[in-house]
Amino acid sequence: MGHAEQQNLFDLPMHSPLQKKTAAHSARSGTFTDNMKLPVHRWFRYSAGFSASWVESVLKDHNATAVLDPFVGSGTVCVASDKLGIPSYGIEAHPFVFRLGQGKLSWGEDIVDFEAAIAKLTATAEKIRESVSLSEANSLIVKCYSENSLRDLYSVKAAYLKLTPEWTASINALVFLAINSILRATSHVGTAQWQYVLPNKTKARVTSPYEALKLQAKMMMDDMRVMQNESEISNAILLPADSRTLEGVPDKSIDLVITSPPYANNYDYADATRLEMSFWGEIGNWGDLHGAVRQYLICSSSQHASKDKMKLPELLADPAIDPIKVELTKVCNELDVIRKTKGGNKAYHLMIVAYFADMAKTFQALRRVTKAGATLCLVIGDSAPYGVHAPVERWFGELALANGFKSWSFEKIRDRNVKWKNRKHTVLLHEGRLWIKG
Ligand SMILES: C[S@@+](CC[C@H](N)C(=O)[O-])C[C@H]1O[C@@H](n2cnc3c(N)ncnc32)[C@H](O)[C@@H]1O
């Protein structure tokens, strides 16, 4: 299990072919591939998902009555909780990913209504296909689709926008998810089901958009049937909120937290949906991702850490990091020196402080919403920007204790950074489960 795709991406230029290649490779070996065989989980392949079967086993072991995932992503924890009939909260700050999660958690919707919605969508799309304008496509979209495919896809998009007022929120969420789920399969360029798009690579097999949509909708209906046989309705509450405040989650209501926060490893979650957000016209170019997404997320990549906006003295003065301040400052100072010797001069020294401050606030918020005696399990990995190691599990453990939890222990799952021929540093990293109790 775990986040094979949350590998150490440091020291590779962002968007370099090498970074894309290694990332795509690690995504394939990642255990979220297990989820791609499971009903509902397989509706959208999101990077950094963890194994749903493992989540289910933790849920069963703990006899949980109320579960929370403060970084719910595509909703694995909530779907697994639904399957076992356990109420859950899922928090996601990435606005687009939140909408995809809403689609998955609409599995309890009337199947006949969904089927009718897809039939009307397709019929409307076919009718307006020839008159649809392709001029709004940004350069990424133009590179990713043939004119024929784009005409199909834009006709589906126009039909969706036309029909959306007729549908319930759940039908809308299902149809929106179905359309997004076909965008990569219908592109002829390399669109690894990972974050980056590779316009210079071509795919051997490309499905036509109308056909892909039909197949996706059928698979979703099959899965809805399976889920509805196990459980009547979704007991999940998905909130477009922030892990640092957990607004909307009542005080002392949660007895089990299962989550997998972003690692401080330069993975850019905003970029993960660049293709999809470009398709809907929500962003024009890469630069728009900051305003549209990144500003809402915890700081986990150098893309977040703007040298102009973030001021080191202010970051270090944040009382949230006090429990680890001495060690963190040492790492930060070391990074500040090293970065000046590197061509990229990445602001990892700012990123690392902001990351732990964000996570400290998350532990504070988690203490507010958890019952006494609660269990928290975080799937985490440590990191070494520019080869400077940050002992993530110990620092998280200390932040958790400082915020009122009673104990922590770390269960290693695997080593990382052992086989990277291209690596620029040789710090051995690992990944595992941080168990926090109390
Ligand atoms: C490792 S992924 C979780 C994937 C998830 N386990 C799944 O099954 O899809 C981390 C998620 O945290 C989200 N995130 C980042 N900052 C956040 C914040 N401040 N509050 C809530 N979610 C946040 C990211 O957008 C990303 O979807």
Side-chain angles (χ1 to χ4, degrees), residues 117-156:
I118 289 288
K120 193 158 180 191
L121 180 82
T122 316
T124 309
E126 282 169 354
K127 221 179 281 165
I128 59 180
R129 185 182 185 282
E130 293 315 314
S131 60
V132 96
S133 161
L134 309 184
S135 63
E136 73 202 52
N138 70 9
S139 60
L140 179 69
I141 295 295
V142 170
K143 277 184 203 156
C144 287
Y145 299 100
S146 66
E147 197 185 318
N148 229 358
S149 292
L150 194 55
R151 188 161 286 287
D152 284 357
L153 286 171
Y154 271 14
S155 70
V156 170

Side-chain angles (χ1 to χ4, degrees), residues 359-397:
M359 286 303 294
K361 290 179 185 112
T362 299
F363 284 116
Q364 216 167 12
L366 284 169
R367 182 67 284 183
R368 176 183 68 76
V369 301
T370 47
K371 295 178 190 163
T375 297
L376 283 61
C377 182
L378 285 79
V379 174
I380 55 165
D382 53 1
S383 61
Y386 285 149
V388 181
H389 186 244
V392 173
E393 70 266 17
R394 184 164 57 77
W395 286 358
F396 278 4

Side-chain angles (χ1 to χ4, degrees), residues 76-389:
T76 307
V77 166
C78 289
V79 174
S81 302
D82 272 357
K83 191 175 160 207
L84 301 177
I86 303 170
S88 66
Y89 280 94
I91 307 296
E92 177 54 52
H94 185 319
F96 196 86
V97 171
F98 171 77
R99 289 182 72 186
L100 300 175
Q102 279 182 313
K104 282 192 181 171
L105 290 165
S106 300
W107 58 262
E109 180 56 71
D110 191 300
I111 299 170
V112 174
D113 287 352
F114 178 51
E115 190 170 23
I118 289 288
K120 193 158 180 191
L121 180 82
T122 316
T124 309
E126 282 169 354
K127 221 179 281 165
I128 59 180
R129 185 182 185 282
E130 293 315 314
S131 60
V132 96
S133 161
L134 309 184
S135 63
E136 73 202 52
N138 70 9
S139 60
L140 179 69
I141 295 295
V142 170
K143 277 184 203 156
C144 287
Y145 299 100
S146 66
E147 197 185 318
N148 229 358
S149 292
L150 194 55
R151 188 161 286 287
D152 284 357
L153 286 171
Y154 271 14
S155 70
V156 170
K157 173 180 163 183
Y160 170 81
L161 295 174
K162 183 166 184 246
L163 295 169
T164 186
E166 291 181 16
W167 296 329
T168 63
S170 296
I171 292 290
N172 261 302
L174 285 165
V175 175
F176 183 74
L177 176 60
I179 299 171
N180 283 294
S181 303
I182 65 165
L183 293 183
R184 294 189 184 232
T186 55
S187 167
H188 60 274
V189 308
T191 49
Q193 285 289 1
W194 202 74
Q195 62 176 340
Y196 303 119
V197 175
L198 310 174
N200 299 330
K201 298 231 167 214
T202 50
K203 250 189 244 141
R205 250 190 71 224
V206 183
T207 324
S208 88
Y210 291 156
E211 182 59 18
L213 186 62
K214 202 168 105 189
L215 293 173
Q216 176 71 18
K218 180 179 177 316
M219 185 248 272
M220 288 171 68
M221 285 185 276
D222 290 346
D223 288 0
M224 286 164 79
R225 230 163 265 128
V226 171
M227 265 305 262
Q228 290 178 16
N229 272 338
E230 300 207 22
S231 200
E232 253 166 40
I233 48 156
S234 169
N235 276 312
I237 298 176
L238 199 62
L239 299 170
D242 191 324
S243 65
R244 291 166 288 192
T245 53
L246 296 176
E247 213 181 312
V249 185
D251 290 359
K252 298 187 187 357
S253 60
I254 302 295
D255 46 26
L256 178 63
V257 173
I258 306 176
T259 196
S260 144
Y263 298 177
N265 70 348
N266 235 13
Y267 183 106
D268 183 7
Y269 287 95
D271 209 1
T273 53
R274 180 150 53 121
L275 177 73
E276 291 78 7
M277 292 180 78
S278 293
F279 172 77
W280 292 100
E282 292 185 11
I283 53 163
N285 56 39
W286 188 83
D288 293 340
L289 285 170
H290 192 80
V293 181
R294 209 175 287 125
Q295 61 161 325
Y296 303 113
L297 310 184
I298 68 166
C299 181
S300 64
S301 80
S302 65
Q303 316 299 320
H304 282 81
S306 150
K307 277 168 263 188
D308 313 326
K309 290 199 191 114
M310 283 188 172
K311 298 283 169 254
L312 190 55
E314 281 164 35
L315 288 174
L316 287 171
D318 188 337
I321 57 161
D322 278 353
I324 56 167
K325 187 167 176 175
V326 174
E327 283 187 278
L328 182 58
T329 307
K330 212 170 141 239
V331 165
C332 165
N333 289 341
E334 221 175 305
L335 284 168
D336 197 13
V337 172
I338 294 178
R339 79 185 167 97
K340 291 171 188 150
T341 66
K342 304 274 181 184
N345 188 359
K346 292 197 192 293
Y348 293 140
H349 65 303
L350 302 175
M351 177 199 88
I352 206 79
V353 181
Y355 176 74
F356 283 98
D358 285 345
M359 286 303 294
K361 290 179 185 112
T362 299
F363 284 116
Q364 216 167 12
L366 284 169
R367 182 67 284 183
R368 176 183 68 76
V369 301
T370 47
K371 295 178 190 163
T375 297
L376 283 61
C377 182
L378 285 79
V379 174
I380 55 165
D382 53 1
S383 61
Y386 285 149
V388 181
H389 186 244

